Every structure is written in C-alpha cells, then in structure tokens.
C-alpha cells in the first residue's frame, strides 16, 4: 500500500515539540476553498490572545495566482473569517478558522458560494431550515489505489462491506475513528458514521444544522478528514465515482426540513416542495457538483442506489429515486425529505442555497433570481 513519505516521520519526535508551552500566543489556522471549488487550502498565523468570537479575528490575504483564483499581476485575495472551531491537531487554545474569499475589489471569488448562500438564508430564517448531509468518501493510497484493495486486482463483490465489521470487511477504520473524535473536539456537528457499500468507502453525517452553518460544519469536517488522512499517509477522495464498473459511487445525500414540515401535517408541505423540485431538475443537477453536473453524470446512472441524472423521481423509502421520503415520515405525516442527487464533492453552500431558492422562494427556470 502506497503511503506518503511524511507519514513515516517520527510522531514521537514531533510530540516533544507539540508539548512545549506557547505562552499567551494562539495559532489560528485559516482555511479556505480554492479555485477548483472542491480543494481546500490553509495557512497559520499567530494571535496575541485567544479569540472569543469571529469579530476578534483579523482579515488576512494570500496569493490567489497559486490557488487557481487570480492572475499573478493582481494576485492578492482577502480571507474573511466566517466560522471558528477548536483545533484538534494543535489543541486548545488554538483555532481553525473557516474563511470566505474576496477578490482584490472586495467582491466574492467565483468559488465563494457562502456569500450568496448566507444572503438567501437570511431571507427565510423565520422558517428555520434544518439540514443534515451524509458525506461519502473513499480512502486511497497515494498512488490512487483504494486502501486495502489487492495491488493487482479487486476485493470480493459488494455485499459484506456496508456497516461491516472485521479486517476482511472494514478497510481503514482507524482513520474513521480519529476523524470522528477530532470533529467532536472541534465542535463540528458530526452525528454519525458508517462503512459504505464499496470497500474502503465510508460515510459521516453532519447535522442537524440550521441555515448557513450546514456548509460551515461540512467544509470543516472535510478539512479535518484531509488532515487526519495526511497524518496516516493516505488520501481522502470525494470523487463521485472513484472506481468505474460495478462499484457504488459516492454522494452527499442532503436531508432538508422547515418548521412547517416538522409540525403536524407537514407532509403536505414536503410534497409541495418535491413538486417544485421536479420542475427544476436541471438547475439542481448543475448546482450539485463543482463541474455543473459532469462529475455526477458518472455516478447518477440509475444503478448502484442512484436515480438517472436525466430523470426526476420521488418515492417513500426508495433509494433509487431522486428524492426519498423516509418511511417514518410517510407514516407520521411530518418530518423531512432526502435529496439523493448531490455528489460527494458538491459545495454544501450551493446545494442548500438551491434547495431554499426552489422550495421556499418559489423560483423556477434554469437561473437563480438576484435579490
């Protein structure tokens, strides 16, 4: 199994430095989304004291020409602190700081979907939108080969791996356990995890989160996963179809509800939302992966627990549909629905914004409305 050279460095030697006192100083790791719309970048600065809120964190800048976000002749981009978490790698009082990216003219960068998402969430905040996102991912060696798979072949066919236990069924559980605990320490709203259908594929769930916090918590959970995998010398892939053929892809199923849906008789509101979503299928497909639907086309084939990318469908307890209404929701006539179309590498800000625009702001057509 190909692992990184960094993973071979002595962690015992590193620990003696990490245990040195740091005085009143605090290390703040600023995190942002790069120009690909799915890659994450980070860098650290020293603060004189522990920040208690976002307002205590200074703006910063970086070279956008090295992150696919600007040209070298005008490369300064601004980092605007937006959400703060405890740092599970350096531990308290150090912080992880998720940032929005602004261009030289203080306008949002092309892949800064948080900016408009926040505006949309503020319009409908009285409806108290809740989200929960199920993030699937695949653990790969540094050579791109799935972790634990035979070097010149394939493991046994799918069947025993989903929620599996045992060395021949669960590949890479140490990473999953480390990530889970690191998220809890950081204050990320992680609510569960499980092994997935394809060996070396796993899932964690984030939520319930209200409004803009859904995107904040999922992006930081992804960052923590990348850092945990870095320590173990392997790679976390959010590719929606990492292995072609008779193997499950990876999605980011998104569960959504409003106050009205969660109250008695809320099923009527859920069904109305599904009707609106059916009339705007193409808009959502474009919003549900960073390449405007091209990545998801490899995954949404109508096989391996997916719907066909060209068709919209909905059903109770149907994992082959675009929208699934859970069995308990159908019985209790209230609750939430699950949009199974978003890809594993989707931007949660774009996904949650699209759901609000269509379901609560009654938008139609292929383009978003400017408010």
């Amino acid at each position: 199994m190909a692992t990184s050279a960094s993973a071979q460095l002595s962690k015992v030697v590193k620990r003696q430095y990490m245990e040195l006192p740091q005085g009143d100083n605090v290390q703040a790791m600023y995190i942002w989304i790069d120009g690909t719309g799915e890659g994450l970048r980070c860098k650290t600065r020293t603060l004189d004291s522990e920040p208690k809120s976002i307002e205590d964190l200074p703006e910063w800048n970086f070279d956008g020409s090295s992150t696919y976000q600007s040209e070298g002749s005008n490369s300064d981009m601004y980092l605007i602190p937006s959400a703060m978490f405890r740092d599970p790698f350096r531990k308290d009082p150090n912080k992880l700081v998720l940032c929005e990216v602004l261009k030289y003219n203080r306008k949002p960068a092309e892949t800064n979907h948080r900016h408009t998402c926040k505006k949309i969430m503020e319009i409908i905040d009285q409806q108290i939108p809740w989200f929960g996102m199920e993030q699937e991912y695949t653990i790969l060696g540094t050579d791109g080969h799935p972790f634990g798979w035979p070097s010149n072949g394939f493991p046994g066919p799918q069947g025993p791996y989903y929620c599996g236990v045992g060395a021949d069924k669960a590949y890479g559980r140490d990473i999953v356990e480390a990530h889970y605990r690191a998220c809890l320490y950081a204050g990320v709203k992680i609510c569960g995890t499980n092994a997935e259908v394809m060996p070396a594929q796993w899932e964690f769930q984030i939520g319930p989160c209200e409004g803009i916090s859904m995107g904040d918590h999922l992006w930081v959970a992804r960052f923590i996963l990348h850092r945990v995998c870095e320590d173990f010398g392997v790679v976390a892939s959010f590719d929606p179809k990492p292995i072609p053929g008779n193997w499950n892809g990876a999605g980011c199923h998104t569960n959504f509800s409003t106050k009205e849906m969660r109250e008695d008789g809320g099923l009527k509101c859920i069904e109305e939302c599904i009707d609106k979503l059916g009339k705007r299928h193409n808009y959502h497909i474009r919003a549900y992966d960073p390449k405007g639907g091209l990545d998801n086309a490899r995954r949404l084939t109508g096989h391996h627990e997916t719907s066909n990318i060209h068709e919209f469908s909905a059903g109770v307890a149907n994992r082959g549909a675009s929208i699934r209404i859970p069995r308990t929701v159908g019985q209790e006539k209230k609750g939430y629905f699950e949009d199974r179309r978003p890809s594993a590498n989707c931007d949660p800000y774009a996904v949650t914004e699209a759901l609000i625009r269509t379901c609560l702001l009654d938008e139609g057509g292929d383009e978003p409305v400017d408010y």
Side-chain angles (χ1 to χ4, degrees):
M1 172 54 59
T3 56
S4 70
S6 312
Q8 313 308 319
L9 296 173
S10 171
K11 307 304 178 188
V12 175
V13 172
K14 178 190 173 187
R15 190 182 308 136
Q16 73 178 16
Y17 297 105
M18 298 305 288
E19 288 172 352
L20 291 172
Q22 60 187 74
D24 293 331
N25 294 319
V26 170
Q27 291 170 285
M29 181 174 278
Y30 282 43
I31 303 162
W32 70 97
I33 301 160
D34 71 16
T36 66
E38 51 187 314
L40 286 165
R41 308 291 178 117
C42 64
K43 63 176 185 170
T44 302
R45 69 183 297 163
T46 304
L47 304 176
D48 295 334
S49 60
E50 182 178 359
K52 302 301 182 186
S53 68
I54 284 295
E55 289 70 36
D56 296 336
L57 294 161
E59 289 186 15
W60 206 7
N61 56 64
F62 69 95
D63 168 18
S65 68
S66 299
T67 61
Y68 316 115
Q69 286 171 299
S70 71
E71 296 178 1
S73 59
N74 191 5
S75 63
D76 276 6
M77 311 280 284
Y78 296 103
L79 291 173
I80 314 299
S82 302
M84 183 170 67
F85 297 82
R86 296 168 73 196
D87 186 336
F89 306 102
R90 294 167 172 152
K91 304 194 178 76
D92 288 339
N94 304 301
K95 304 296 181 188
L96 301 179
V97 182
L98 183 66
C99 300
E100 283 193 34
V101 176
L102 301 184
K103 296 189 285 192
Y104 69 94
N105 57 7
R106 308 288 295 183
K107 292 186 176 178
E110 282 73 12
T111 55
N112 177 3
H113 297 299
R114 188 184 192 278
H115 189 79
T116 51
C117 181
K118 190 167 186 286
K119 286 202 295 189
I120 294 299
M121 292 299 175
E122 287 168 352
I123 294 173
I124 52 80
D125 62 354
Q126 72 283 355
Q127 299 194 47
I128 315 177
W130 287 1
F131 300 93
M133 296 184 79
E134 307 167 25
Q135 177 68 70
E136 294 179 333
Y137 63 96
T138 310
I139 303 173
L140 307 176
T142 51
D143 58 357
H145 196 67
F147 181 81
W149 284 34
S151 56
N152 293 312
F154 298 91
Q158 297 182 154
Y161 309 108
Y162 172 71
C163 297
V165 180
D168 58 341
K169 299 178 184 69
Y171 298 10
R173 192 185 297 275
D174 282 357
I175 290 158
V176 177
E177 294 295 337
H179 174 252
Y180 202 149
R181 190 63 61 89
C183 282
L184 290 173
Y185 180 94
V188 170
K189 285 190 176 179
I190 187 168
C191 60
T193 188
N194 59 270
E196 266 303 330
V197 176
M198 186 179 85
Q201 186 186 69
W202 294 81
E203 172 183 301
F204 63 87
Q205 301 93 31
I206 301 292
C209 294
E210 184 177 337
I212 195 68
S213 67
M214 181 67 252
D216 293 346
H217 282 250
L218 184 56
W219 273 116
V220 171
R222 286 174 174 177
F223 172 81
I224 292 173
L225 179 63
H226 284 308
R227 272 289 285 107
V228 166
C229 285
E230 182 184 320
D231 282 347
F232 281 100
V234 295
V235 176
S237 170
F238 296 112
D239 188 288
K241 189 73 174 179
I243 308 297
N246 198 23
W247 302 98
N248 272 38
C252 194
H253 302 156
T254 301
N255 302 279
F256 172 54
S257 71
T258 61
K259 186 172 183 289
E260 184 182 356
M261 293 181 204
R262 297 186 292 270
E263 293 174 343
D264 288 344
L267 183 61
K268 181 175 183 292
C269 179
I270 291 171
E271 289 170 340
E272 288 170 355
C273 287
I274 291 172
D275 187 53
K276 295 173 191 175
L277 290 167
K279 294 171 181 172
R280 213 183 187 201
H281 179 62
N282 290 337
Y283 165 76
H284 282 264
I285 289 296
R286 288 208 317 275
Y288 283 2
D289 81 47
K291 296 186 179 68
L294 293 177
D295 275 349
N296 237 345
R298 294 182 285 122
R299 166 182 162 257
L300 295 178
T301 59
H303 305 290
H304 306 110
E305 299 181 56
T306 69
S307 57
N308 188 294
I309 194 168
H310 302 296
E311 299 167 3
F312 180 86
S313 57
V316 174
N318 182 0
R319 282 177 164 77
S322 309
I323 306 290
R324 178 180 73 94
I325 299 175
R327 177 81 62 199
T328 53
V329 173
Q331 292 168 344
E332 295 173 8
K333 310 294 185 198
K334 63 179 179 181
Y336 66 97
F337 66 84
E338 175 192 54
D339 192 334
R340 298 177 61 82
R341 295 171 295 175
S343 68
N345 62 345
C346 70
D347 186 329
Y349 298 127
V351 171
T352 55
E353 178 188 327
L355 283 167
I356 296 298
R357 284 179 177 276
T358 301
C359 295
L360 304 188
L361 295 177
D362 297 333
E363 289 186 19
D366 284 343
E367 296 299 328
V369 176
D370 194 16
Y371 295 94

